[in-house]
Amino acid sequence: MGLIEKSRIKSPWILHFDNSSCNGCDIEILACLTPLYDVERFGMVNMGNPKHADVLLITGPVNRRTARVLKNLYAQVPDPKIVIAVGTCASSGGVFHNCYNVLGGVDKVIPVDVYIPGCAARPEAIIDGVVLALQKLASLRGDKK
Amino acid sequence: MESWMMAIAILLPLVAGILVFIIRQYHVQSFIVVLTAIILAVNSILFLQQGPFTYSPGGFNWGLMVTILDYVILLFYLYVGISLRNWLVLIFALTQLIPLAWWEFGMKAHVELTPAFVVDHLSIVMTLVISIIGSLICIYALRYMYDHEHHTKLAKSRQPRFLFWLVIFLGAMNGLVFANNLVWLYFFWEVTTLCCFQLIAHDLTKEAINNAARALWMNSLGGTAFVFALIFLYVTQGGAEALSVQNIISGHITGAVIILPVALLCFTGFTKAAQMPFQSWLLGAMVAPTPVSALLHSSTMVKAGVYLVLRLAPAYAGTHLSTIIAIAGAFTFFAASGLAISQTTGKRVLAYSTIANLGLIIACAGINTPLAIAAAILLIIFHAISKGLLFLCAGTIEHQIWSREIEDMEGLAAKAPLTTLITTVGILSMFLPPFGMLLGKWLALEAAYMVPLAAIFFVLASTLTIVFWTKWLGRLLQVLPKIGWPREKLSLSYSVPLWLLLIGIFVIGMGVGPIYQNFILSATNNVITGNQIIPIGWHSLILTGTAFVEKGILGIFLVWPLFLILAVALLLPLLFIGLKPKELRPVYLCGEQTGDLDTDEWLAEADVKTKFQLGGYYYQKVLGEKTLDPWVNTIAIVILVIMLGYGVIIK
Amino acid sequence: MIDQLITVIVALIVAPLIGGLLFGFDRKITARLQGRYGPPIIQPFYDFFKLLGKQHIAVSKLQFIWIYGYLTFMVVSLLFLVLKLDILLLVFLLGFAGVCFVLGAFSTKSPYAHFGANRELLQILAYEPVLLFLALGVYAQNGSFLISEIFKQDKPLLFTLWPLFIAVLFILTIKMRKSPFDISTSHHAHQEIVRGTVTEYSGPYYALIQLVEWYELVLLLGIIALFWTNPLWVGILIALGAFILELLIDNIAARLTARWMVRLSWSVGLVLGIINIAYLYLTKGVA
Ligand code: SF4
């Protein structure tokens, strides 16, 4: 494993995007940053900007309004990138399934690499999901995908 | 030979001016102007080769002619004052006319001096600046005025008249820097004021005429001080000999009695150099077509002001007047830089920057050490080149977007890349290393510790300088994601002066070491005699041999390594970084942008497409003219009163 | 000559290592102060190499040109320090680096970068005079702007230039973009104007900016070390002390507005600077 691949695992920067969740999952993501879980020890940092991100953490089901935004943000994240759907809603639409304005899970709009189930997804599960994603990330090359 | 050179420098512009005034064909005019420009430039280089000499014209009663023309000009001012019902113009015309008449006819003063002209290194520096940069601006003016008249849809071309005054200006300036007889100097001084008035008023709009009148009365106020200085010198020193510049500065006239006239002359210099509180005439001059501004700001007019102050430096060396001048100049440098931040019009930013830099030059003259004088001369040269270039750029931009507002120049890099590139270099050359202006500023700061108050103003002003230039440059560069640049074509009359000045910035900037040693040092010696101490920091720029290697400073370190660094930093990336279309992304707009790459639209609430707009910051509440002007002018007036008061008390 | 070449090469290689470690240390300390465990100390290097391996994406070509200028001029400023050249020119070159950074942000039509650039300009307005005053103070003390001259003096600068020392500590916060002055861009993840000046940089170019920050940190601490050059280790300790003080301030302070930053630095910094120079002028006269 080269230096860059190793660094990739050690330094996942996160962009958190909320489609139309109930905010349950979002709070759990923020909980990861707190001293109790402290994801920064793995080098994870929550970025406010897709251009700096490696990992897209997406919560909530995609609706007609957010689908476009999600696509735009996804395009602005430089490769290699990983998309993680956090929570049942993001994975499949969850309790919002078949709502008049809801398209469904995140994978309806952009390719998803890791699904983290749970309503809401527990911080441990989120960290676990990110670690899983990192293994995939390490194998990706900058110009692919 | 010398008489020919003199005649060409002073009279050729007059002849050429009359010719272009009579012959009204664009091509013939262009030919005459270009030819004159070339001859003047070559002539100034001849001056450089010839070195210092003195000269008195004979064969004709030139003195009488000067006197007659003096009165013609003053009577014309009187006429202007009456016809415009501008009392200030009228009053200050009278305050010049009456004392002058009283002196020359009442007291039967007759000033015939040999030599009438003294050419020394300082004048040679000035004539090079005037003849080369001024000529380039005249060439630029040809096409500019053509476009200008096209755009303003003038019925009858006023271009001949315009070119007439423009070209004569150069001759008057040359006369001014060579004159040794103060009466003649006064005459050339008035001619430049007259040219300036005519050129500012050129467009004949109400605003133009008002501003021209303001320029006229302020400079007439300076002229009045000049007249009083003449009479005072004549009366107290008892004779014509006192009116020789060389006598004044070489210490032939000694004692405190000279302080008052020198202070008056410096006051005159201040008005012409648009120092606070006289800045408003130069700002008003912005209404004139851009070549006029370029000429006024870079090589003529205002440079006459700093020339006079610099020329007189030995006369006030070692007195408190010197310190007061240093503080006055430094204050102008500071205040004008601050005011420049709040300006929304490109040309006004340039104008304030000119005022600021003239303040710096005058402050250097006031600090009055060999180092400071050298800094002043360097600054005169570099400022002329950079500011000339920037004004020509401003003119070119104006003729592409037909606006002078900085906000309208947003994203110019995408519309006119070539102009933007040249403007960028011009702006960078005003305030960053390794360009000449900064070298001058560096030298000035090294010298400034003599007058700590001036040093403090320098520090604050150079910081403010960074802010207003960067702010403006930032607006030009703001582009949307796009690949490739449009091709931009400039007419020859635009591009030749632009490129020549651009090359000049680099050539003179890189050659500053040799130029300093061969050229500036001797010019400095003309102003101030004393040990030439090159600051140790400058050893890194100027090769001074082994002593310097012993000091343990990095071997042979000339200024060009800094240019090399500049090339590595900016030029190489500019040339070699490519960008592929698939690498482009739109700017971050929270994912709300409307699709395409080069979009500046986003979907606002209810999915309404909205164009977002960015504006520059101008801090007008804090730094605007409304807020600052009363303070600035009050302080400046107090400083001036102290300056003149000191002269009176010492007497 | 050879010595100097070696110094240059060592400085070029070692400075970013030290800078990177200091930034890692910064994150660790900050985490500890917040009751967290924190990332490993070499985390900045992981970030750096990861960014190097990312895809090039860009908004305009112009922004890269300026970022190379930023890097080059920062490095040259640092070289001026290690080669003990003119401190005044060093400050000017540092100013050029700052201008490049601002222009890089200005060369995109991005609202966030634009905010950042304007604020960064205010930061320049706030710190530049103090640095220039420092140069003047050095001149007042030694009669020369040369850094090598500082090293020749037995008496540390700190004794006579202590007001300027305080002013420099003040602007160190601004220059390091730490709270309360993390105004143009911030090291912490969340930022109400996204990432200010660096919003539009990503991947390798963002890595470049991090590299410049490392150089910059070393340069700034080096300037602080100049206050006590004989023996130099005291100066280095002072610099490290100043660094830790900054971290502490960073963690206990909330952010101020840009206007307050300029006001504070122009009042505190300038008053201290002016007092210092006036004092030196009056006691020592013209050097
Ligand atoms: S998965 Fe549950 S907690 Fe998460 S957004 Fe959906 S409903 Fe809320």
Side-chain angles (χ1 to χ4, degrees):
Chain A
M1 194 162 30
L3 186 60
I4 288 177
E5 280 75 18
K6 188 168 159 59
S7 303
R8 244 171 227 163
I9 300 178
K10 292 282 189 183
S11 148
W13 289 355
I14 288 164
L15 176 72
H16 167 209
F17 179 67
D18 174 0
N19 277 306
S20 45
S21 84
C22 77
N23 281 119
C25 289
D26 306 290
I27 288 170
E28 298 304 326
I29 287 179
L30 292 181
C32 296
L33 301 171
T34 59
L36 187 59
Y37 297 101
D38 185 25
V39 283
E40 207 197 343
R41 60 202 152 113
F42 308 121
M44 288 184 211
V45 182
N46 191 3
M47 288 287 163
N49 179 354
K51 303 202 168 184
H52 295 171
D54 309 294
V55 178
L56 262 167
L57 278 187
I58 298 164
T59 57
V62 178
N63 65 30
R64 292 184 201 284
R65 183 70 174 71
T66 60
R68 182 177 48 80
V69 178
L70 187 56
K71 258 192 245 160
N72 281 341
L73 289 181
Y74 179 76
Q76 281 180 335
V77 178
D79 287 335
K81 55 191 167 195
I82 286 282
V83 179
I84 304 178
V86 180
T88 312
C89 291
S91 305
S92 65
V95 290
F96 300 107
H97 184 69
N98 265 354
C99 271
Y100 68 99
N101 64 337
V102 165
L103 295 178
V106 174
D107 49 10
K108 289 269 170 19
V109 184
I110 55 175
V112 175
D113 298 281
V114 177
Y115 298 88
I116 303 175
C119 177
R122 294 181 61 83
E124 290 93 336
I126 296 175
I127 296 172
D128 193 40
V130 173
V131 170
L132 197 66
L134 290 179
Q135 287 164 5
K136 187 168 180 189
L137 189 65
S139 62
L140 291 179
R141 294 239 335 260
D143 44 39
K144 254 190 7 213
K145 185 153 183 269
Chain B
M1 178 70 181
E2 281 150 9
S3 54
W4 274 108
M5 278 158 60
M6 219 50 161
I8 289 175
I10 301 173
L11 294 180
L12 175 71
L14 181 67
V15 176
I18 293 171
L19 279 179
V20 289
F21 188 67
I22 299 169
I23 304 167
R24 292 185 162 248
Q25 269 162 319
Y26 176 67
H27 291 288
V28 184
Q29 279 177 343
S30 307
F31 178 73
I32 294 172
V33 170
V34 172
L35 194 68
T36 314
I38 293 171
I39 295 176
L40 275 183
V42 171
N43 191 44
S44 67
I45 291 166
L46 280 182
F47 269 108
L48 178 62
Q49 279 191 333
Q50 178 81 10
F53 61 88
T54 58
Y55 175 71
S56 304
F60 184 77
N61 194 347
W62 296 99
L64 182 68
M65 194 162 124
V66 164
T67 312
I68 294 171
L69 286 176
D70 260 344
Y71 288 105
V72 171
I73 293 173
L74 288 176
L75 287 173
F76 174 72
Y77 292 170
L78 219 54
Y79 162 75
V80 170
I82 294 168
S83 68
L84 293 181
R85 297 221 163 55
N86 191 321
W87 306 123
L88 283 167
V89 172
L90 189 67
I91 290 169
F92 289 120
L94 285 175
T95 52
Q96 288 182 83
L97 194 58
I98 295 170
L100 200 65
W102 173 74
W103 179 52
E104 287 191 336
F105 299 114
M107 291 177 60
K108 302 236 176 331
H110 182 66
V111 184
E112 201 61 50
L113 275 176
T114 43
F117 292 107
V118 172
V119 179
D120 63 2
H121 286 106
L122 181 62
S123 339
I124 294 176
V125 170
M126 292 301 296
T127 195
L128 281 167
V129 168
I130 295 160
S131 306
I132 297 178
I133 297 168
S135 302
L136 284 176
I137 293 168
C138 289
I139 295 176
Y140 180 91
L142 289 170
R143 174 77 192 187
Y144 185 94
M145 288 317 287
Y146 183 81
D147 287 353
H148 181 76
E149 300 203 328
H150 216 68
H151 187 69
T152 48
K153 302 204 177 59
L154 226 57
K156 183 168 182 290
S157 170
R158 287 168 54 80
Q159 191 169 4
R161 188 186 155 280
F162 181 82
L163 287 175
F164 172 73
W165 291 112
L166 204 64
V167 177
I168 287 191
F169 215 139
L170 299 182
M173 278 302 291
N174 274 332
L176 196 152
V177 299
F178 291 140
N180 180 44
N181 184 340
L182 270 182
V183 178
W184 290 28
L185 210 160
Y186 171 72
F187 164 69
F188 289 120
W189 194 270
E190 286 306 315
V191 177
T192 56
T193 304
L194 176 68
C195 292
C196 179
F197 169 75
Q198 295 286 4
L199 287 170
I200 298 174
H202 176 76
D203 279 349
L204 292 181
T205 57
K206 199 162 186 300
E207 196 191 5
I209 291 172
N210 278 343
N211 290 350
R214 191 186 312 138
L216 187 55
W217 80 253
M218 282 194 172
N219 280 301
S220 297
L221 175 63
T224 308
F226 205 128
V227 171
F228 278 103
L230 286 182
I231 299 175
F232 190 86
L233 271 174
Y234 188 81
V235 172
T236 56
Q237 299 294 325
E241 282 306 304
L243 295 186
S244 148
V245 175
Q246 289 303 321
N247 284 349
I248 295 175
I249 61 176
S250 60
H252 282 207
I253 310 166
T254 44
V257 77
I258 200 165
I259 290 297
L260 181 60
V262 168
L264 281 170
L265 287 175
C266 288
F267 176 85
T268 314
F270 278 26
T271 54
K272 192 142 271 198
Q275 295 297 287
M276 309 270 176
F278 304 114
Q279 76 276 31
S280 59
W281 80 257
L282 192 59
L283 293 165
M286 291 295 114
V287 296
T290 301
V292 176
S293 317
L295 203 62
L296 293 187
H297 286 252
S298 67
S299 52
T300 62
M301 198 65 187
V302 296
K303 287 288 152 70
V306 294
Y307 166 77
L308 189 64
V309 177
L310 194 58
R311 175 52 94 196
L312 292 173
Y316 53 78
T319 67
H320 288 294
L321 179 61
S322 193
T323 316
I324 298 170
I325 290 175
I327 290 171
F331 175 73
T332 300
F333 182 28
F334 169 62
S337 304
L339 281 163
I341 293 182
S342 67
Q343 299 308 310
T344 55
T345 311
K347 280 179 78 176
R348 281 181 83 87
V349 173
L350 291 178
Y352 270 117
S353 143
T354 304
I355 296 167
N357 283 306
L358 295 174
L360 175 60
I361 297 170
I362 285 178
C364 285
I367 292 168
N368 225 332
T369 60
L371 199 57
I373 300 293
I377 297 171
L378 270 182
L379 284 168
I380 287 182
I381 300 173
F382 287 123
H383 180 256
I385 303 176
S386 292
K387 198 42 80 55
L389 176 68
L390 276 176
F391 266 107
L392 299 192
C393 287
T396 314
I397 294 172
E398 193 187 334
H399 275 190
Q400 280 167 343
I401 60 174
W402 296 109
S403 166
R404 294 171 171 183
E405 294 299 312
I406 292 180
E407 288 308 306
D408 293 332
M409 295 179 197
E410 177 184 317
L412 192 78
K415 292 175 214 150
L418 187 63
T419 316
T420 311
L421 179 76
I422 297 174
T423 314
T424 307
V425 176
I427 289 182
L428 291 182
S429 75
M430 284 301 294
F431 71 112
L432 288 177
F435 292 107
M437 281 302 286
L438 188 108
L439 297 182
K441 225 178 263 177
W442 180 17
L443 215 54
L445 257 174
E446 300 230 357
Y449 186 61
M450 303 291 291
V451 186
L453 189 55
I456 289 166
F457 278 137
F458 281 8
V459 165
L460 300 181
S462 28
T463 311
L464 294 169
T465 308
I466 294 181
V467 174
F468 71 78
W469 285 126
T470 314
K471 215 154 57 72
W472 183 8
L473 193 48
R475 300 301 290 153
L476 297 182
L477 296 178
Q478 195 180 83
V479 291
L480 285 168
K482 218 180 248 169
I483 290 275
W485 307 101
R487 191 171 277 252
E488 189 192 349
K489 266 189 80 87
L490 287 177
S491 121
L492 220 56
S493 163
Y494 285 171
S495 58
V496 168
L498 283 177
W499 282 111
L500 284 181
L501 285 173
L502 190 72
I503 293 168
I505 286 180
F506 283 99
V507 168
I508 304 205
M510 276 190 249
V512 69
I515 290 176
Y516 186 83
Q517 273 179 326
N518 301 328
F519 188 46
I520 311 278
L521 282 188
S522 39
T524 312
N525 280 329
N526 283 151
V527 180
I528 188 166
T529 43
N531 243 352
Q532 273 303 327
I533 318 154
I534 303 177
I536 306 173
W538 267 63
H539 285 297
S540 54
L541 301 185
I542 299 161
L543 191 59
T544 43
T546 48
F548 158 64
V549 179
E550 276 165 19
K551 283 212 165 100
I553 308 159
L554 185 70
I556 301 161
F557 191 70
L558 290 151
V559 72
W560 55 261
L562 284 177
F563 275 93
L564 210 64
I565 292 163
L566 184 78
V568 171
L570 300 179
L571 189 66
L572 291 186
L574 180 68
L575 294 179
F576 294 110
I577 293 189
L579 205 55
K580 295 188 200 82
K582 71 169 189 203
E583 291 170 358
L584 274 188
R585 293 286 185 284
V587 295
Y588 177 61
L589 287 177
C590 306
E592 290 283 10
Q593 74 272 19
T594 54
D596 277 358
L597 253 187
D598 52 343
T599 176
D600 51 359
E601 284 183 328
W602 61 292
L603 293 172
E605 53 202 300
D607 281 358
V608 178
K609 269 195 191 174
T610 314
K611 198 172 151 105
F612 75 88
Q613 272 163 346
L614 300 178
Y617 284 29
Y618 296 97
Y619 310 101
Q620 277 179 335
K621 275 216 178 103
V622 196
L623 294 170
E625 284 166 338
K626 276 211 187 82
T627 327
L628 284 191
D629 264 356
W631 295 98
V632 165
N633 288 339
T634 314
I635 296 173
I637 290 171
V638 168
I639 294 176
L640 280 187
V641 168
I642 293 174
M643 183 171 111
L644 293 177
Y646 173 77
V648 173
I649 290 166
I650 266 294
K651 175 187 164 280
Chain C
M1 192 71 194
I2 294 292
D3 289 357
Q4 284 159 343
L5 214 61
I6 292 170
T7 320
V8 167
I9 293 168
V10 169
L12 282 182
I13 297 168
V14 172
L17 291 179
I18 299 175
L21 281 178
L22 284 175
F23 268 102
F25 188 66
D26 169 9
R27 283 174 74 171
K28 194 88 183 169
I29 296 266
T30 305
R32 283 301 168 87
L33 284 173
Q34 294 170 353
R36 292 187 286 116
Y37 188 76
I41 257 188
I42 53 169
Q43 182 64 39
F45 298 103
Y46 287 137
D47 294 347
F48 178 76
F49 286 112
K50 174 206 70 179
L51 285 171
L52 275 188
K54 296 216 43 144
Q55 184 196 17
H56 286 235
I57 64 168
V59 176
S60 80
K61 179 177 161 178
L62 285 175
Q63 58 175 161
F64 300 143
I65 295 168
W66 295 115
I67 225 58
Y68 277 106
Y70 184 37
L71 174 69
T72 318
F73 280 101
M74 190 60 76
V75 169
V76 172
S77 308
L78 183 71
L79 293 186
F80 262 64
L81 182 70
V82 297
L83 293 174
K84 300 177 187 163
L85 296 173
D86 193 301
I87 191 169
L88 191 56
L89 191 55
L90 185 155
V91 174
F92 284 137
L93 287 167
L94 194 60
F96 200 156
V99 167
C100 284
F101 189 44
V102 174
L103 287 177
F106 265 134
S107 355
T108 58
K109 192 171 179 181
S110 156
Y112 300 104
H114 196 85
F115 266 124
N118 274 314
R119 292 173 172 205
E120 179 71 25
L121 263 183
L122 287 181
Q123 306 217 135
I124 291 181
L125 190 63
Y127 69 68
E128 186 81 4
V130 176
L131 287 178
L132 285 172
F133 274 134
L134 174 64
L136 267 185
V138 169
Y139 182 82
Q141 175 66 23
N142 291 341
S144 158
F145 283 105
L146 281 189
I147 296 173
S148 56
E149 207 58 36
I150 303 175
F151 278 83
K152 285 191 196 130
Q153 309 295 327
D154 291 330
K155 209 171 113 196
L157 284 180
L158 190 58
F159 288 170
T160 43
L161 294 185
W162 60 266
L164 267 171
F165 178 73
I166 300 173
V168 171
L169 280 190
F170 193 84
I171 60 142
L172 183 66
T173 327
I174 302 174
K175 200 83 183 82
M176 282 169 66
R177 304 190 186 89
K178 291 280 184 200
S179 278
F181 302 126
D182 47 348
I183 287 167
S184 72
T185 175
S186 153
H187 292 287
H188 296 299
H190 277 292
Q191 167 89 4
E192 60 267 40
I193 50 166
V194 188
R195 264 327 260 279
T197 13
V198 298
T199 307
E200 298 300 335
Y201 289 103
S202 64
Y205 291 103
Y206 191 45
L208 223 54
I209 290 180
Q210 306 233 304
L211 186 66
V212 184
E213 282 183 341
W214 299 347
Y215 276 118
E216 189 178 24
L217 182 61
V218 173
L219 172 65
L220 291 172
L221 295 182
I223 289 177
I224 289 181
L226 286 183
F227 278 95
W228 199 305
T229 47
N230 265 331
L232 190 57
W233 59 267
V234 181
I236 293 173
L237 279 185
I238 291 176
L240 289 178
F243 177 69
I244 290 170
L245 181 71
E246 291 308 330
L247 299 188
L248 203 69
I249 294 172
D250 185 31
N251 276 289
I252 58 174
R255 184 178 302 145
L256 284 177
T257 61
R259 188 165 298 178
W260 268 104
M261 170 184 68
V262 178
R263 262 187 223 159
L264 275 177
S265 97
W266 273 58
S267 49
V268 177
L270 293 198
V271 167
L272 286 172
I274 290 170
I275 289 175
N276 206 164
I277 286 167
Y279 173 76
L280 283 173
Y281 183 77
L282 293 177
T283 53
K284 293 184 65 133
V286 178

